[in-house]
Structures are given as C-alpha cells and as structure tokens.
Amino acid sequence: WLRGASERLVVCAHAYAAAPALVTARWAQAPMAAVVYAAELESRVPRHRMSVALLKRAERIVAISEHASRLARARGLSPDRIAVVPPVLAPPWICERPSFRAPGSALRLVAISRLVEGHKNLELLLRVVSVLARTGIVERLTIVGDGPRRRDLTAKAAILGVADLVDFVGVLPDGALGELLATAHVGLFPSRASLAETTSEGFGLVIQELAAAGLPVLCGLAGGAVDAAKPEWSVLLDPDDVRLWATALERLFENEIQRAEMAAAALAWARRIDPLQAPRAMLRAMRP
C-alpha cells in the first residue's frame, strides 16, 4: 500500500518508535518525518537515547515548541531539518464570557494536571495557598486530575493546614470540567524543569485550555510553557519562588480590572483558534 501511494511519507509519531519507522521508510523507499516533544529528548535511558539518535536519519523533524527544538538540536539533529509547529487546539468548553468576581471577593483558583510527575510542581500551589490562607485572597484551589501522587499531595495540604481550601476532584468529563472552569477566576500551571526527573514540559496544552475558559493564567517559566503562554493573558513566573506566585495572585485580587482584561483577552484569543491550522502546518512541515 505504501509503495503504491502517489505521495509516500512515513511519520514517526514518537522518538522511541524511530527504529521501526526508519526500517519501514527504507523498505518503502519513502521519506521519513518525526514528531518530537521534550521528555524523550532529555532521557538518560540508553535505549531511549539510541532511538533519538536514529532520528538524525529523518528528512524532517517537527518540534511542538521552541523548547523541544532546542533539545533536538542539542541531541545533534540538524537545525535545517527542524520545524516548530505548536499544537494549538480548540477545547470543547470555550465559554461565552469570563467569570464575574464581585469586588473584594476571594479568588477561586484551578489547576489541571496528571498527578504523576514531580515536575508538575503542584506542591508550589499548596505552599502558595498556605501563605495566603489568612489573607482572604484565596477562596479555594481546585486541582483536577488523578494519579499516584494524589495521596502525598493530599497529605501535604493537611500538613500545611490548607486541606479545607484545596479540593482534589480527580478526573472530570469535559462537561463537568467546563462548568468548573466557568466558575473559576485564575488558572495555574506551575510546571518546572526537574533535574531529578531530567524532564520538563514539552508545550503545555493545559495553559491554552485554561485560557479558552476565559481565565488569566499564571505559568511556570520553564520548558515549553513559554511557547504555550501568550503575554496578553498570562504571567510567567519562577516556578521555585513561592513569594512571587503569592504576590501575583495578590495583585490580581486587588486589581479586578486587570484580571478581567486578561480574562477577556484569553477568551478573544481562544475564539480566533482555527482547529485546522496546526494540522495543516504540521503536514506542510513534514514534507521534505
């Protein structure tokens, strides 16, 4: 089938599949393109590093962020073969209008994350809430997602004395998640670059999903989050500086006009998303 196609192309959708993709491409006498993210390019596991090395034989490399592109170049992949195509998607819950917050009322915060990897850095949010707990700035922090770290994070919230301010709601279907986001005031994405895990965020689609709900987003200044966040509706912060995050939330609490303007900018940006733009750009970038 591949040999008989008028336009032949083998796409390696993950670096660890480089070997079979390369064999298939050579057998079919077809060009090979590959998509790279971030974590697989940082891996120290020898067999994973060998797979990444095979990508040097790909005619085209599509990186999902400038961060991933830098990692690819650091692994010896040719800059001339690398194109950056951010995976901008339109989530199903683009709201009609940003949420209203009465002057002086506390902030409802929300984060969406797998509770698996440490680099998601959710402990930072618990510490920030503990710093602001007695100020009346935070009404509630809701963490959406599940995984093996949920028990430890729940225990950490109790140790910090903020268990009554933090809700771990697990995985939610799109409808319920959309309803939750519609009542929130600020989205949080504290991901960091982890030396222990040798990994970082490849892009950060959650950042844009939060923006599509009409939320300003505070983001960790690390990895691909820098590519996903837009300056008109986000703030990039040191993911290790608790005081900086607390101060940023305090400013949004005190300045509802600024928060509302960022929320409106986020929603306007989301409404301009063309769901076909990213896949079309990716197909163009994959053609040698």
Side-chain angles (χ1 to χ4, degrees):
W1 173 83
L2 184 58
R3 282 179 167 175
S6 57
E7 292 189 39
R8 290 175 292 174
L9 178 67
V10 174
V11 178
C12 178
H14 196 284
Y16 299 166
L22 186 61
V23 169
T24 303
R26 294 296 179 263
W27 173 79
Q29 298 179 350
M32 172 180 148
V35 183
V36 295
Y37 310 96
E40 76 277 15
L41 299 173
E42 297 176 291
S43 176
R44 294 178 180 176
V45 179
R47 65 179 183 275
H48 294 170
R49 295 287 291 272
M50 291 174 63
S51 294
V52 171
L54 291 176
L55 294 181
K56 293 178 182 178
R57 301 187 184 184
E59 280 79 3
R60 298 293 293 167
I61 302 290
V62 178
I64 65 168
S65 64
E66 291 291 346
H67 171 62
S69 176
R70 288 190 294 271
L71 292 174
R73 296 195 300 272
R75 288 287 175 262
L77 304 185
S78 173
D80 295 338
R81 299 184 181 186
I82 300 173
V84 177
V85 181
V88 180
L89 305 177
W93 50 70
I94 295 178
C95 63
E96 294 183 4
R97 62 183 65 86
S99 61
F100 171 78
R101 184 174 73 93
S105 61
L107 295 170
R108 292 191 289 271
L109 314 176
V110 63
I112 306 172
S113 175
R114 297 187 303 270
L115 308 187
V116 179
E117 305 96 340
H119 78 270
K120 296 297 184 179
N121 200 28
L122 296 171
E123 289 86 351
L124 173 93
L125 302 185
L126 302 181
R127 296 200 300 272
V128 170
V129 171
S130 71
V131 168
L132 299 174
R134 295 178 177 82
T135 63
I137 291 175
V138 175
E139 175 183 321
R140 187 153 300 279
L141 164 63
T142 302
I143 297 178
V144 181
D146 212 345
R149 302 193 69 243
R150 180 172 178 174
R151 179 181 297 179
D152 291 340
L153 290 167
T154 302
K156 184 72 170 180
I159 292 171
L160 292 172
V162 295
D164 59 329
L165 295 177
V166 181
D167 288 334
F168 293 90
V169 298
V171 177
L172 298 178
D174 285 347
L177 180 54
E179 292 176 4
L180 170 65
L181 294 174
T183 65
H185 302 129
V186 181
L188 304 173
F189 189 85
S191 187
R192 63 193 293 270
S194 171
L195 293 176
E197 295 175 326
T198 63
T199 192
S200 55
E201 209 69 46
F203 182 68
L205 276 173
V206 166
I207 295 171
Q208 299 188 345
E209 291 172 343
L210 292 168
L215 297 176
V217 188
L218 304 186
C219 307
L221 181 58
V226 178
D227 298 87
K230 304 301 177 186
E232 60 267 28
W233 46 258
S234 67
V235 180
L236 291 167
L237 301 167
D238 183 339
D240 295 315
D241 193 331
V242 174
R243 183 179 295 274
L244 199 60
W245 284 71
T247 300
L249 286 172
E250 184 177 14
R251 288 173 178 167
L252 290 177
F253 169 77
E254 293 175 346
N255 192 340
E256 175 60 14
I257 293 177
Q258 179 190 11
R259 191 202 71 83
E261 287 177 348
M262 292 176 68
L267 193 54
W269 170 85
R271 287 174 175 162
R272 292 194 299 270
I273 294 176
D274 178 359
L276 295 179
Q277 180 177 350
R280 285 171 175 163
M282 184 166 287
L283 286 173
R284 288 194 300 270
M286 286 180 176
R287 294 193 177 100

